[in-house]
Amino acid sequence: IQETSMADLTIRFYSDVLKRDVSFLMQIPNDIRRDYPRNDLKRDGKPMKTLFLLHGYSGAAFNWVPGNLAEQYNFAVIIPSGENSFWIDGPATGRQFATFLGVELLEYVRNTFHLAMTAEDTYLMGFSMGGFGALHTGFAYPEKFGKVIALSSALIHNEVMHMKEGDSNPIANYDYYRMCFGDPEKLAESDNNPEYLLKKQLAAGKKLPQIWMACGTEDFLLEPNRAFHKFLQDQGVAHTYEEGPGIHDMNFWQEWAGKFIPLAFAD
C-alpha cells in the first residue's frame, strides 16, 4: 500500500532578475491517505516549513531528499535551477542567481503559496556547488533563512581569487570563474566571497543561520571544507561540522541529509 505521496508541481514564471522564463520544482506533503493512518508524522499541528534544495555543478533540479522525511517533518521542498552559477551574482546581465534565490524566488513562493514567511520556517540545503550556494545565500540573507545544511561544499573561493587569465582546472577555465565570481583579483573583498560576506554580516551585528556541514574523508573537497570549518571557529560562529567515510557522490549526500534533516526540523 502506498502510505503517502507528495504533491508534485512544476512552476514556470518570468524572472525579472534573470531576464528570462525560469522554472522550479516543488513538492508539498499534503496528500496523506485518510484510510491509512500513520504514527510517524512529527507534525503536532505545526505550520509547514520550507526547504530550498540546491543542486551541484553540471547538475539540474531534482528532489534528492531521502525517504519520506518531508512527510514526516512536514516541509515543502522548493527545487530551483541554478545552472552552473555557484548560486551567486555574476557581473553579466541575467546572471544574478543569489538575488534570484534569496529575493525573487523566495518572494514568489511567499506570495503564491504563503510558505517560507519567516526565517524560522525557511531552510537551505545543497551539495557541492549547492553547498557553497546554501552557505553563501544564508550569509547574504540571514533575516530570511534560519538554517543551512551544506554537504561536500565547493568552497573554492580562495582558489578562484588566485587565478590568472589563461588558468584552468579540471572543472572549468578562468573565463567561467570570472563569469560567476567577477574579477578574481577583487574577490577577496567581494560579497561573492563567503568569508568576506560573513565577516561583514558579523560586523553589522546580524544573526546568522544555524549551520550543519559535512564532507567525506575521501572527497577532493575535504581540505577546503576543513579550512572553512576552522574559519568559522576563528570567527566564533557556532556550527556543526562532521566528516565521515565517503567520496563526492550522492551516497554521501543522501546519508548526511538523512542525518541532518531530523536535527534541523526537530523543533
Side-chain angles (χ1 to χ4, degrees), residues 13-43:
F13 71 102
Y14 182 80
S15 167
D16 287 309
V17 171
L18 300 181
K19 307 299 181 187
R20 56 188 178 275
D21 280 357
V22 299
S23 62
F24 66 94
L25 308 179
M26 184 173 181
Q27 295 193 326
I28 306 176
N30 64 350
D31 189 14
I32 303 171
R33 285 187 54 161
R34 303 301 177 189
D35 60 348
Y36 197 84
R38 295 177 59 190
N39 59 11
D40 65 332
L41 300 181
K42 300 174 176 60
R43 299 187 176 186

Side-chain angles (χ1 to χ4, degrees), residues 53-260:
L53 196 61
L54 310 184
H55 65 77
Y57 177 84
S58 75
F62 71 103
N63 189 356
W64 49 276
V65 173
N68 62 344
L69 290 172
E71 294 100 325
Q72 283 184 281
Y73 291 95
N74 195 31
F75 60 89
V77 187
I78 308 296
I79 317 168
S81 173
E83 302 175 20
N84 286 338
S85 66
F86 268 81
W87 302 96
I88 52 180
D89 285 354
T93 300
R95 295 286 305 178
Q96 284 65 53
F97 283 88
T99 303
F100 167 72
L101 175 60
V103 179
E104 187 177 44
L105 180 60
L106 179 61
E107 290 179 356
Y108 185 91
V109 169
R110 286 178 172 179
N111 294 336
T112 307
F113 299 99
H114 206 68
L115 290 168
M117 301 303 290
T118 68
E120 290 72 26
D121 293 332
T122 311
Y123 305 164
L124 290 153
M125 183 168 73
F127 66 79
S128 194
M129 181 189 82
F132 178 100
L135 289 165
H136 178 270
T137 306
F139 298 162
Y141 304 101
E143 72 283 358
K144 298 180 179 181
F145 298 96
K147 299 182 182 182
V148 169
I149 299 172
L151 307 176
S152 308
S153 302
L155 294 159
I156 62 169
H157 46 284
N158 289 317
E159 175 187 350
V160 171
M161 72 174 63
H162 293 106
M163 294 187 77
K164 305 296 182 184
E165 189 166 3
D167 287 349
S168 65
N169 59 32
I171 303 299
N173 62 13
Y174 171 90
D175 294 308
Y176 163 75
Y177 292 110
R178 184 185 177 98
M179 176 182 68
C180 291
F181 289 87
D183 186 347
E185 293 184 357
K186 299 179 181 178
L187 184 55
E189 296 184 349
S190 164
D191 282 356
N192 285 340
N193 179 341
E195 295 183 27
Y196 173 83
L197 181 59
L198 181 140
K199 288 180 179 179
K200 187 170 82 170
Q201 300 290 45
L202 289 177
K206 296 292 183 68
K207 178 186 176 182
L208 296 175
Q210 289 183 257
I211 300 168
W212 287 265
M213 296 178 61
C215 193
T217 51
E218 289 74 49
D219 194 312
F220 70 96
L221 289 170
L222 178 60
E223 291 308 319
N225 276 265
R226 286 176 171 173
F228 199 78
H229 164 52
K230 183 178 185 302
F231 165 76
L232 293 176
Q233 287 181 317
D234 292 345
Q235 298 301 313
V237 175
H239 65 288
T240 297
Y241 175 77
E242 300 285 354
E243 294 179 4
I247 60 173
H248 200 73
D249 69 357
M250 188 54 66
N251 292 327
F252 183 87
W253 302 326
Q254 289 202 321
E255 175 188 355
W256 283 91
K259 291 179 179 180
F260 284 157

